Amino acid sequence: MPWKFENGSPIYKQLVHRIKTMIAAGTYSADEKMPSVREMAVITGVNPNTMQRAFAELEQEGLLYSRRTSGRFVTGEEKILKDLRERLAYEEISRLFDELEKLGMSDDEIRQSVAKWREEPDGND
Amino acid sequence: MPWKFENGSPIYKQLVHRIKTMIAAGTYSADEKMPSVREMAVITGVNPNTMQRAFAELEQEGLLYSRRTSGRFVTGEEKILKDLRERLAYEEISRLFDELEKLGMSDDEIRQSVAKWREEPDGND
Amino acid sequence: MPWKFENGSPIYKQLVHRIKTMIAAGTYSADEKMPSVREMAVITGVNPNTMQRAFAELEQEGLLYSRRTSGRFVTGEEKILKDLRERLAYEEISRLFDELEKLGMSDDEIRQSVAKWREEPDGND
Amino acid sequence: MPWKFENGSPIYKQLVHRIKTMIAAGTYSADEKMPSVREMAVITGVNPNTMQRAFAELEQEGLLYSRRTSGRFVTGEEKILKDLRERLAYEEISRLFDELEKLGMSDDEIRQSVAKWREEPDGND
DNA sequence: GTGGTCTAGACCACA
DNA sequence: GTGGTCTAGACCACG
């Protein structure tokens, strides 16, 4: 089951974002070995070069490191991982406020809208 | 003071989004005349072709209409405008939950994080 | 006359270094348009993709910026350019001292050796 | 305390260079016995295969020789050792001039910069 | 088998 | 025509 990609932003960037999210979520944890470029390319259904580029980007951001012949690993610095999760969350919330304020909503309105979101006391979905 | 654009998505799309937001926010209101393509291009500092394309897209979405010789106007159908604002807000909040859930946060955690956001203007930051 | 490359380090890195040096030397100056990826690829005799990668690296370092359809330009921030030249010189001299000290030479010996280098009063070479 | 390696050039080459430098500096002197491949691999924290390759290369260059059962030794020909030191120094200084000339510095400027380098131990830095 | 590089060639959106 | 992306396929050094 290859991953689905939107068209409008480059595949390798979407890969970066999704893998980054998975790392932040702990799907891959500190010092754990990532699937090889080729494996990951097969899994996601993209060209190995594209995956290579995504991995290179993540490595450059310090989230991954590679050992010459044994593979790529999630960084061992737990602080980076913790910060990553917080940073991603921060960015998303920040973005929300930015966008909704541009629409003329006050901070309180925004918080209220979010508070009501999917709030279904009886829980049937 | 030309607008600033990120270089990662096409300028015309960024224009569409920002103008759309301004319309939703009421910066340009129903049946109000928009600046001409050329004026708007000068204001924002983009190529007139690019602005033309943005306007065309907004027109196609039904947010603008053009009268032969007198220019482009914001749609007069207030419902569209109201829906627009709600839709944009909906999309942003929806996006937030999607992304933060991928990070492993529960709906309650998300609502809490947002509730605390910028909560105390004179307090802890 | 295509450029010559050593084998031992990737071509794109050698490209990065050489173009960077040219920028630092003023061969390409602030806000000047660089040759297009394709032109530069022909000049140097490498694949356009390889040149693209080199340019991307230089852009990421802040030495170049690209305008969507009009080409790539040397950064306009003169400070960066001045710093670049100093930094490259600094790195080379620093490297020299590091290496020669590892060989057991004192700073004075090193300075002397350099002072005598190519010092040919009568100038025939 | 394993050695540190850059990841941009093969480890075995970095090993060759560093061991060669140590020999040139006299850390290992003429006819002195080198640590075994295994010992050296443990010390530096690399794979024995990698260290083996480095030693083989040094042997091929004539800096080491091996006696069947008693191990590897630094060459006894003092001339080679002396030449080595000079050659390494020569290469580094030569490199410096090449690079700085590409930056547009004259030989005099280069000599001056080096002369000023770390000149005042207790002074301005 | 691993990461990494490079080529060749095609395609696209953009201004 | 420009930068940019992507694929396909090959090759290499490394450990």
Side-chain angles (χ1 to χ4, degrees):
Chain A
M1 45 182 175
W3 291 6
K4 291 280 293 177
F5 299 97
E6 305 164 6
N7 49 358
S9 85
I11 292 179
Y12 80 92
K13 282 201 173 174
Q14 298 182 46
L15 286 171
V16 165
H17 181 255
R18 290 173 66 164
I19 297 173
K20 191 187 294 183
T21 300
M22 291 171 84
I23 292 173
T27 307
Y28 300 110
S29 42
D31 280 320
E32 185 180 340
K33 186 178 185 308
M34 297 289 297
S36 80
V37 172
R38 289 161 175 79
E39 285 170 355
M40 204 75 171
V42 170
I43 293 171
T44 56
V46 304
N47 183 289
N49 275 325
T50 305
M51 183 55 71
Q52 166 76 18
R53 181 163 181 185
F55 271 175
E57 205 115 322
L58 288 164
E59 185 166 348
Q60 190 199 5
E61 289 191 38
L63 268 59
L64 301 181
Y65 63 94
S66 51
R67 275 197 229 145
R68 292 235 160 220
T69 58
S70 54
R72 262 202 186 78
F73 302 79
V74 179
T75 181
E77 306 185 39
E78 310 249 1
K79 185 170 186 311
I80 290 184
L81 296 179
K82 203 194 154 207
D83 286 357
L84 174 67
R85 190 161 181 269
E86 283 174 9
R87 205 192 74 217
L88 292 180
Y90 176 94
E91 282 172 3
E92 287 299 334
I93 299 180
S94 183
R95 176 201 161 104
L96 180 81
F97 276 79
D98 277 4
E99 290 295 331
L100 296 198
E101 279 168 1
K102 277 191 220 143
L103 284 176
M105 294 174 68
S106 72
D107 283 12
D108 273 338
E109 281 179 284
I110 297 170
R111 285 195 218 97
Q112 266 181 4
S113 298
V114 172
K116 276 185 280 182
W117 193 256
R118 287 191 194 158
E119 190 195 301
E120 303 171 13
D122 353 63
N124 54 339
D125 184 19
Chain B
M1 44 183 176
W3 291 7
K4 292 279 292 176
F5 299 95
E6 304 163 8
N7 55 351
S9 75
I11 293 180
Y12 86 93
K13 280 198 176 175
Q14 298 183 47
L15 283 171
V16 166
H17 180 255
R18 289 173 66 163
I19 297 172
K20 191 187 293 184
T21 301
M22 291 171 83
I23 292 173
T27 306
Y28 301 110
S29 43
D31 282 320
E32 185 180 339
K33 186 178 185 307
M34 297 290 294
S36 76
V37 168
R38 285 177 198 167
E39 284 168 352
M40 204 74 171
V42 170
I43 292 171
T44 56
V46 304
N47 185 303
N49 285 327
T50 308
M51 183 56 71
Q52 165 64 29
R53 181 159 179 184
F55 271 2
E57 194 138 324
L58 288 164
E59 194 162 330
Q60 192 200 2
E61 289 191 38
L63 294 173
L64 300 182
Y65 64 94
S66 48
R67 274 194 231 146
R68 281 291 164 121
T69 56
S70 53
R72 267 202 184 74
F73 299 80
V74 178
T75 181
E77 308 186 37
E78 308 256 1
K79 185 169 186 314
I80 290 184
L81 295 180
K82 202 193 157 209
D83 285 358
L84 173 67
R85 190 162 179 265
E86 280 175 10
R87 204 193 74 218
L88 292 180
Y90 176 93
E91 283 171 0
E92 287 299 333
I93 299 180
S94 181
R95 176 202 161 101
L96 179 80
F97 276 79
D98 277 4
E99 290 294 333
L100 295 198
E101 279 169 1
K102 278 190 218 144
L103 284 177
M105 295 175 66
S106 72
D107 283 13
D108 274 338
E109 280 179 285
I110 297 171
R111 288 195 212 95
Q112 258 183 2
S113 296
V114 172
K116 275 189 274 183
W117 196 256
R118 290 188 193 156
E119 201 181 3
E120 307 279 334
D122 43 24
N124 51 340
D125 184 20
Chain C
M1 43 181 178
W3 291 6
K4 292 279 294 177
F5 299 97
E6 305 163 7
N7 49 358
S9 84
I11 293 181
Y12 80 92
K13 282 200 175 174
Q14 298 183 46
L15 286 171
V16 165
H17 180 254
R18 290 173 66 163
I19 297 173
K20 192 187 292 183
T21 300
M22 292 171 82
I23 293 173
T27 307
Y28 300 109
S29 42
D31 280 321
E32 185 180 339
K33 187 178 184 309
M34 297 290 295
S36 80
V37 172
R38 289 162 176 76
E39 282 170 355
M40 204 75 170
V42 170
I43 292 171
T44 56
V46 304
N47 183 290
N49 275 327
T50 306
M51 182 55 70
Q52 165 76 17
R53 181 162 181 187
F55 272 175
E57 205 115 322
L58 288 165
E59 185 167 347
Q60 191 200 2
E61 289 191 37
L63 268 59
L64 301 181
Y65 62 94
S66 51
R67 276 195 227 144
R68 290 235 161 222
T69 58
S70 54
R72 261 201 186 80
F73 301 81
V74 178
T75 182
E77 307 186 38
E78 311 250 1
K79 186 169 185 315
I80 291 184
L81 297 180
K82 202 195 155 207
D83 286 357
L84 174 67
R85 190 160 180 270
E86 283 174 9
R87 204 192 75 217
L88 293 180
Y90 176 94
E91 282 172 1
E92 288 298 335
I93 299 180
S94 184
R95 175 201 162 102
L96 180 80
F97 276 79
D98 277 4
E99 290 295 331
L100 295 198
E101 279 169 1
K102 276 190 220 145
L103 285 176
M105 295 174 66
S106 72
D107 283 11
D108 273 337
E109 281 178 285
I110 297 171
R111 285 195 217 97
Q112 267 181 4
S113 298
V114 171
K116 276 187 279 184
W117 194 257
R118 286 191 195 156
E119 191 194 301
E120 304 169 12
D122 353 62
N124 55 339
D125 183 25
Chain D
M1 43 183 175
W3 292 5
K4 292 278 293 177
F5 299 96
E6 305 164 6
N7 54 351
S9 75
I11 292 179
Y12 87 92
K13 281 199 175 177
Q14 299 182 46
L15 284 172
V16 166
H17 181 255
R18 290 173 65 164
I19 297 172
K20 191 187 294 183
T21 300
M22 291 171 83
I23 293 173
T27 306
Y28 300 111
S29 43
D31 281 320
E32 184 180 341
K33 185 178 187 308
M34 296 290 296
S36 76
V37 169
R38 285 178 197 165
E39 285 168 352
M40 203 73 171
V42 170
I43 293 171
T44 56
V46 306
N47 186 302
N49 284 326
T50 307
M51 183 56 72
Q52 166 63 30
R53 182 160 180 183
F55 271 2
E57 194 138 326
L58 288 164
E59 194 162 331
Q60 192 199 3
E61 289 190 38
L63 295 173
L64 301 182
Y65 64 93
S66 49
R67 272 194 234 148
R68 281 290 164 123
T69 56
S70 54
R72 266 202 185 75
F73 300 80
V74 177
T75 180
E77 309 186 35
E78 307 258 1
K79 184 168 185 314
I80 290 185
L81 296 180
K82 203 194 155 208
D83 284 358
L84 174 67
R85 189 161 181 266
E86 280 174 12
R87 204 192 74 218
L88 292 180
Y90 176 93
E91 283 172 359
E92 287 298 334
I93 299 179
S94 182
R95 176 202 161 102
L96 180 80
F97 276 80
D98 277 5
E99 290 294 333
L100 295 198
E101 278 168 3
K102 278 192 218 143
L103 283 177
M105 294 175 67
S106 72
D107 283 12
D108 274 338
E109 279 179 285
I110 296 171
R111 288 196 212 95
Q112 258 183 4
S113 296
V114 172
K116 275 188 276 182
W117 194 257
R118 290 188 193 158
E119 203 180 1
E120 307 279 336
D122 42 25
N124 50 340
D125 183 22

